[in-house]
């Protein structure tokens, strides 16, 4: 079964998701969120003799997936986190692993007119839930802009750029999805949270 949204319905979902994300972001500005997690790791490090943090740090730095694309582009996906707002945010980095300066291909934005109109992006990315037999597309805001990294500069050799993509969240029972992006191989990634 496949879910297809009309443009109006998709925009409504994007508005609700964006509003929930902004509310969560504002709520997290008071010193909660990630700052609370870091001291816990430090506290456990002092109790555990120091060997656990280095293992945790290594695990945190290992990407969920590393995908090689055209012209030496390397996409590393570092996290896929489920948010209480009903979406999944995939974070990572795009690196020029080649020997010359390159432009991020426009094809990564996919082929939807609405997304293409908003410039270069990772709007062509999808998550596929094989068990639920559903495909999830990058969310858009009310103006049709994809909720993903946009406006890529030319990447010099060795240069890295942080990237993100937001999708509607699959059911909580779904913990693994297939990540797809035009011009890159597919990869199975785990959703946390």
């Amino acid at each position: 079964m496949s879910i297809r949204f009309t443009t109006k319905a998709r925009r409504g979902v994007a508005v609700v998701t964006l509003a929930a994300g902004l509310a969560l972001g504002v709520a997290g500005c008071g010193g909660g969120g990630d700052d609370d997690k870091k001291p816990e790791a430090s506290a456990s490090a002092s109790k555990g003799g120091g060997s656990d943090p280095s293992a945790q740090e290594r695990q945190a730095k290992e990407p969920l997936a590393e995908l090689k694309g055209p012209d030496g582009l390397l996409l590393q996906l570092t996290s896929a986190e489920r948010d209480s707002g009903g979406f999944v945010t995939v974070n990572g980095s795009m690196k020029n692993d080649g020997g010359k300066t390159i432009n991020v291909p426009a094809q990564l934005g996919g082929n939807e007119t609405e997304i293409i109109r908003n410039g270069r992006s990772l709007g062509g990315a999808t998550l596929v839930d094989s068990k639920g037999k559903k495909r999830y597309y990058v969310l858009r805001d009310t103006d049709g802009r994809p909720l993903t990294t946009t406006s890529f500069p030319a990447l010099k050799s060795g240069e890295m750029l942080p990237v993100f993509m937001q999708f509607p969240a699959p059911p909580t029972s779904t913990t693994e999805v297939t990540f797809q992006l035009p011009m890159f191989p597919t990869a199975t990634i785990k959703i946390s949270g």
Side-chain angles (χ1 to χ4, degrees):
M1 183 175 150
S2 176
I3 295 181
R4 293 193 109 140
F5 289 103
T6 64
T7 302
K8 188 173 183 179
R10 191 175 10 180
R11 286 182 179 168
V13 169
V15 168
V16 169
T17 303
L18 186 58
L22 289 173
L24 290 171
V26 170
C29 289
D34 292 342
D35 291 340
D36 289 342
K37 293 177 187 172
K38 290 177 186 173
E40 288 175 17
S42 299
S44 64
S46 60
K47 293 176 188 173
S51 62
D52 289 340
S54 60
Q56 288 174 354
E57 287 172 8
R58 277 196 304 272
Q59 185 179 10
K61 291 182 181 179
E62 289 179 25
L64 296 175
E66 195 168 272
L67 311 172
K68 294 184 179 185
D71 300 322
L73 275 179
L74 180 66
L75 176 62
Q76 289 185 331
L77 302 177
T78 54
S79 68
E81 296 184 16
R82 186 182 305 272
D83 210 321
S84 60
F87 55 91
V88 169
T89 302
V90 176
N91 291 298
S93 62
M94 182 80 69
K95 180 181 180 184
N96 178 355
D97 221 17
K100 59 181 181 176
T101 299
I102 58 171
N103 290 311
V104 174
Q107 291 90 332
L108 301 185
N111 58 9
E112 290 185 40
T113 307
E114 190 173 45
I115 291 181
I116 293 171
R117 193 177 357 180
N118 288 294
R120 293 181 192 264
S121 72
L122 300 177
T126 59
L127 296 180
V128 177
D129 174 6
S130 299
K131 288 182 183 178
K133 298 182 179 172
K134 292 183 182 176
R135 179 182 306 268
Y136 298 90
Y137 294 88
V138 169
L139 292 167
R140 286 113 173 128
D141 68 11
T142 55
D143 293 324
R145 292 181 298 243
L147 299 182
T148 177
T149 305
T150 58
S151 304
F152 294 98
L155 293 175
K156 296 176 184 171
S157 179
E159 192 171 14
M160 187 180 296
L161 178 72
V163 296
F164 80 96
M165 295 148 274
Q166 287 189 325
F167 302 89
T172 53
S173 60
T174 300
T175 57
E176 280 192 353
V177 291
T178 302
F179 175 83
Q180 298 177 335
L181 181 66
M183 305 181 78
F184 283 83
T186 61
T188 301
I189 60 173
K190 291 191 177 199
I191 299 174
S192 61

